[in-house]
Amino acid sequence: MTFEHVGKVYADGTRAVEDLNLGVDDGEFVVLVGPSGCGKTTALRMVAGLEEISEGSIRIGDTVVNKLPPPKRDIAMVFQNYALYPQMTVYDNIAFGLKMRKISKAEIRPRVEGIARVLGLEELLKRKPGVLSGGQRQRVAMGRAIVRDPQAFLMDEPLSNLDAKLRVQMRSEIARIQRELGATTIYVTHDQVEAMTMGDRVAVMRRGVLQQVEDPQTIYERPANLFVASFIGSPSMNIVEARLEREDRGLVCRVGDRVVAIPSEVAARRPGLEAYVDRTVGLGIRPESLAEAAGAAGDTDRRRLAGRVVATELLGSERLAYVEIAAVPVVTEEVLEVAGDVDSTVLESLKSEAKEHRAGLIARLDADSRVQADETVELALDTRKLHFFDLETETAIPVDVPAAAPAGA
């Protein structure tokens, strides 16, 4: 399946998708993820034929499907609303599409029973949807799609109506079923945890534009820009302003009143950093790259930040510490968009912190940590895993590839 320069513009001039180029290999599971209104569902609906394509083309196999009606596209769609027929049994719900295609009863039965075994529904075939749990209903909806043996599956937030425990269970179920069937699948979600745990590749969208498409680990370790860095990760990446300077033939970052030495191997892998010496960059620090300085392996004063603990959260296996340091948080448009999508109070807090030159960091600490609110804590950074961003273009200063000099350099 291929999107080639695909765009969608509504009658009122609203652009929902812009110049989308994306290929999905046979048998691949690709997740479209992004905040509400980013265009991911519109892209899916264009594949299904439920939205007209304004620009470009979509291919399924070797066929351009722009003008094909939905029934002729040979795809199956699973929605967040199960849309099961309440008066029909599980068996009849799964078999419905096959009956509409005039397939014989002799062929329908083994196909339905085979899919029921894969989905763990064998004992429920005679029951009606009203007596099933949410997870069971979702499996029936999937069975109805799978039994058709289409060229591709489209899933639009299929787990959003389930409770947290069921969502975790169904994530693994869907991933298992997709692997067993080898089915080409595009899955839409706003939940980046779902995206990272399920997809062979993750495509991050913002305002109708594809920001980055990679395997989950690459997206996490090498985000393409500030939006991806802010959106992917739970808790999200800490991003503060830092002045890049040269010292003793090496590079350092000045963060507030602290100096953080950049390891020579990190600088060597990012030759583009040279263009930013004596300039301010965005310094990205994942929560797991912060630890209590006391007892941290290889700790020195030149890889520490200090601040006041605002609050802590014990999550059983770990403790999150919210620490305020004397630094300027990055408040570019991309970062503010992610913050506002999460919570308007977070957005206002971030703006206030920037004005007062104080930045909130989240540190992922061991569960046995004893840090308490209102204490001052020294945090050691894993400086091998720092991220750097151009604050004018909002793009990452890449690993192994020289970055273009910033404007005005």
Side-chain angles (χ1 to χ4, degrees):
M1 184 187 305
T2 308
F3 295 80
E4 297 174 346
H5 302 290
V6 172
K8 174 64 181 180
V9 183
Y10 288 102
D12 64 358
T14 300
R15 177 169 286 280
V17 177
E18 181 172 356
D19 196 27
L20 176 59
N21 292 282
L22 177 65
V24 182
D25 294 335
D26 290 345
E28 189 177 24
F29 193 121
V30 171
V31 180
L32 300 183
V33 66
S36 300
C38 73
K40 56 189 184 294
T41 293
T42 301
L44 198 74
R45 289 173 61 85
M46 285 193 285
V47 177
L50 303 177
E51 294 278 3
E52 289 187 6
I53 300 167
S54 303
E55 302 153 354
S57 62
I58 294 176
R59 293 178 180 271
I60 299 177
D62 295 324
T63 305
V64 175
V65 299
N66 291 35
K67 301 299 183 181
L68 279 183
K72 294 190 175 181
R73 297 195 180 198
D74 194 20
I75 53 93
M77 197 159 182
V78 180
F79 299 92
Q80 63 186 74
N81 296 317
Y82 318 127
L84 302 178
Y85 296 104
Q87 74 278 16
M88 293 184 183
T89 64
V90 168
Y91 180 95
D92 289 333
N93 266 284
I94 295 175
F96 182 78
L98 300 180
K99 291 177 180 178
M100 295 299 292
R101 292 163 65 185
K102 308 298 185 184
I103 294 174
S104 69
K105 290 183 179 180
E107 186 179 346
I108 288 175
R109 180 164 294 280
R111 286 173 67 171
V112 171
E113 291 177 347
I115 291 301
R117 280 193 296 274
V118 172
L119 295 170
L121 296 171
E122 306 105 304
E123 306 300 321
L124 305 176
L125 288 175
K126 295 181 180 180
R127 299 185 186 180
K128 293 185 177 180
V131 300
L132 303 181
S133 69
Q136 290 168 337
R137 290 180 204 169
Q138 189 56 275
R139 287 202 293 272
V140 175
M142 288 180 61
R144 187 174 55 191
I146 292 168
V147 77
R148 291 173 47 196
D149 192 24
Q151 285 196 66
F153 295 99
L154 310 178
M155 299 190 182
D156 186 11
E157 308 243 21
L159 306 183
S160 61
N161 289 335
L162 303 181
D163 62 42
K165 185 176 181 181
L166 263 179
R167 285 180 74 126
V168 172
Q169 179 183 337
M170 286 301 298
R171 282 205 308 258
S172 60
E173 281 290 295
I174 290 175
R176 175 186 65 81
I177 293 162
Q178 190 273 338
R179 284 195 304 271
E180 288 184 5
L181 297 174
T184 304
T185 303
I186 300 180
Y187 185 105
V188 161
T189 181
H190 68 277
D191 185 335
Q192 52 97 13
V193 175
E194 275 185 24
M196 297 294 283
T197 55
M198 296 177 71
D200 296 323
R201 286 190 298 153
V202 176
V204 183
M205 295 189 69
R206 177 202 182 210
R207 297 184 180 179
V209 178
L210 182 64
Q211 302 293 301
Q212 186 174 7
V213 54
E214 295 282 359
D215 64 90
Q217 197 66 27
T218 299
I219 289 268
Y220 189 79
E221 293 179 351
R222 296 202 296 275
N225 55 40
L226 283 169
F227 177 82
V228 177
S230 302
F231 188 78
I232 296 295
S234 182
S236 60
M237 183 184 289
N238 304 295
I239 307 174
V240 297
E241 292 188 6
R243 183 172 176 81
L244 193 63
E245 299 178 354
R246 192 181 308 283
E247 188 176 285
D248 298 329
R249 291 185 294 180
L251 296 180
V252 298
C253 276
R254 197 171 293 279
V255 183
D257 60 354
R258 292 293 178 114
V259 175
V260 176
I262 300 174
S264 57
E265 63 270 23
V266 171
R269 293 188 64 210
R270 285 184 169 83
L273 286 175
E274 290 292 335
Y276 295 84
V277 173
D278 296 327
R279 302 185 70 90
T280 299
V281 298
L283 177 66
I285 308 166
R286 291 283 184 195
E288 63 271 21
S289 296
L290 291 165
E292 287 183 80
D299 179 45
T300 70
D301 288 344
R302 291 169 65 79
R303 55 183 287 254
R304 289 187 184 187
L305 298 175
R308 181 180 67 87
V309 179
V310 176
T312 67
E313 293 179 351
L314 180 60
L315 303 180
S317 61
E318 63 187 16
R319 184 183 297 272
L320 299 182
Y322 297 80
V323 181
E324 189 176 89
I325 67 170
V328 180
V330 167
V331 289
T332 63
E333 184 181 352
E334 293 192 342
V335 173
L336 290 175
E337 183 179 337
V338 174
D341 188 66
V342 173
D343 188 336
S344 60
T345 60
V346 174
L347 180 63
E348 293 307 314
S349 175
L350 191 58
K351 290 179 179 178
S352 174
E353 288 171 358
K355 290 179 182 177
E356 299 171 14
H357 285 211
R358 55 188 178 87
L361 303 183
I362 302 177
R364 180 176 270 135
L365 308 178
D366 291 338
D368 58 4
S369 169
R370 293 293 179 261
V371 298
Q372 299 291 327
D374 294 324
E375 291 181 350
T376 297
V377 65
E378 292 267 341
L379 296 173
L381 282 74
D382 185 344
T383 50
R384 300 166 301 170
K385 297 181 178 179
L386 297 176
H387 300 258
F388 302 89
F389 300 91
D390 183 315
L391 293 180
E392 294 183 14
T393 64
E394 302 192 358
T395 58
I397 301 172
V399 175
D400 291 333
V401 179

